[in-house]
């Protein structure tokens, strides 16, 4: 049976990023097929993020052997059926200073797990060269050069569970969108949008072949997690977010960053040249993601027994989750040190849950549709803010005359973004159990 949804995951792993990827890779092949993992800077630098992805595959491979040797169901159907490509994306934002969240995720992005559990980390000398660019074509036969660069999935590679690519991930994204039929590939963005903005700028018509873009990012009616109004993924590259969201607009130029936010990327072509097709963005801001949590007692009940029995994946996950629980207790009020009720937010896994169950549980997902949400890119205190119009002004309907005195074209039917925003899911307390069972199997 064909997979329900083909996905590309753009990520900056981080704790909940790794949980999101594990959830995706352990899902049923009837639900999901992961074509590409694009690694971007974000929570930590891009090389640490890449190390975390490679280590994740390393641990999964060991855990599959452990499960088989112990007569357990191996799981990870999607991963075993389709070996994803891993490619390296942006290492800095398009605009503004580089931000990191090492204060929360640790210097390595996973709470120091590479130091505390080095036996679960893939040594650098065994993987870093996999992502090196191939020799110049002058040193290869033309046939070999084309085979190396055009489609990494067809070239020889050492890793058992993923195919490393030496091409920038924005090119891999465009290659996949160009070769797959339109409306068959869903993009899942759980890090800064720098790589996706780069892909969109280089080939906007190809980028618009995506079925949809699921984005974890932003804060609307709740405080930000980096500034009073700024959520990390958005503020880490507000210019990139603004550029990507502009592709939802009838007139993308109307919401592009101002000249002061200029980058080296080209502008989008005029509307008539771009065509009528637009990007569908489904946004999962802190307003909804922070309602979905994973508690320490849930992790201990499911994962700790497996770690004690020798599961490499359980031991590895328990290490970085414990580090994260302790960090939460040190940063936030209301968490008792070592308490069962200490929790982390499942920000990024929520996007994967929608990719898996957005259709099968369609009536249980609730979206505000075609909301004009714009990103502040130059504000001294408000960079990365998601701006929506809270006024009670009447908006012009399609075909009507533009509203006089409409500063910023917020009341126009011809301009502004059109973003779908998730405001309800199948259940705030459902995701934790679904995720743990998918990754670690049924008890």
């Amino acid at each position: 049976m064909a997979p329900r949804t083909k996905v590309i995951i753009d990520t900056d792993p981080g704790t909940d990023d790794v949980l999101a990827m594990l959830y995706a890779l352990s899902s049923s092949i009837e639900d999901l097929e992961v074509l590409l993992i694009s690694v971007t800077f974000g929570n930590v630098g891009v090389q640490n993020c890449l190390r975390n992805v490679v280590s994740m595959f390393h641990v999964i491979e060991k855990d599959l052997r452990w499960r088989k040797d112990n007569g357990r169901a191996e799981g990870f159907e999607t991963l075993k059926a389709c070996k994803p490509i891993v490619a390296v994306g942006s290492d800095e934002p398009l605009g503004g200073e580089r931000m990191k969240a090492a204060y929360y995720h640790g210097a390595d992005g996973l709470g120091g797990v590479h130091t505390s559990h080095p036996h679960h980390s893939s040594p650098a000398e065994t993987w870093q060269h996999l992502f090196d660019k191939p020799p110049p074509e002058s040193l290869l036969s033309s046939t070999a050069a084309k085979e190396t660069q055009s489609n990494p999935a067809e070239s020889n590679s050492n890793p058992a569970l993923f195919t490393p690519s030496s091409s920038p991930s924005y090119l891999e994204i465009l290659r996949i969108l160009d070769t797959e039929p339109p409306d068959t590939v869903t993009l899942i963005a759980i890090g800064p949008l720098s790589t996706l903005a780069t892909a969109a700028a280089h080939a906007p018509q190809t980028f618009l072949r995506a079925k949809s873009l699921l984005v974890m990012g932003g804060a609307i009616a709740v405080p930000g997690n980096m500034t009073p109004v700024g959520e990390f993924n958005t503020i880490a590259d507000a210019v990139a977010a603004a550029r990507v969201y502009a592709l939802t607009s009838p007139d993308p130029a109307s919401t592009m960053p101002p000249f002061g936010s200029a980058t080296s990327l080209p502008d989008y072509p005029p509307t008539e040249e771009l065509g009528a097709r637009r990007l569908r963005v489904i946004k999962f801001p802190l307003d909804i993601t922070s309602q979905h949590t994973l508690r320490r007692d849930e992790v201990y009940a499911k994962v700790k027994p497996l770690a004690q029995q020798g599961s490499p994946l359980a031991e590895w996950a328990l290490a970085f989750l414990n580090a994260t629980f302790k960090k939460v207790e040190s940063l936030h009020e209301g968490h008792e040190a070592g308490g069962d009720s200490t929790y982390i937010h499942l920000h990024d896994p929520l996007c994967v849950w929608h990719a898996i169950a957005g259709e099968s549980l369609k009536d249980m997902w609730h979206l505000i549709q075609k909301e004009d949400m714009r990103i502040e890119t130059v504000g001294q205190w408000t960079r990365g803010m998601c701006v929506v119009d809270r006024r009670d002004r009447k908006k012009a309907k399609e075909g009507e005359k533009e509203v006089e005195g409409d500063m910023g074209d917020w009341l126009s039917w011809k301009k502004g973004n059109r973003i779908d925003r998730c405001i309800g899911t199948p259940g705030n307390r459902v995701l934790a159990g679904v995720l743990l069972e998918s990754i670690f199997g049924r008890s």
Side-chain angles (χ1 to χ4, degrees), residues 348-370:
D348 297 337
L350 188 56
C351 291
V352 174
W353 193 21
H354 188 275
I356 293 172
E359 291 297 326
S360 62
L361 301 177
K362 188 174 183 179
D363 294 340
M364 303 178 75
W365 294 88
H366 303 286
L367 307 176
I368 294 175
Q369 296 188 330
K370 299 186 181 301

Side-chain angles (χ1 to χ4, degrees), residues 9 20 40 43 47 91 150 167 190 201 247 287 378 392 394 422 426:
I9 301 176
T40 184
N43 289 314
Q47 284 301 312
D91 61 358
S150 64
S167 296
I190 53 179
L247 286 175
D287 308 55
V378 295
D392 61 356
K394 290 183 178 180
C422 181

Side-chain angles (χ1 to χ4, degrees), residues 146-170:
K146 289 178 180 178
E147 288 178 350
T148 303
Q149 296 178 4
S150 64
N151 189 353
E154 297 178 357
S155 61
N156 293 327
S157 57
N158 294 322
L161 298 180
F162 72 93
T163 299
S165 173
S166 59
S167 296
S169 64
Y170 83 88

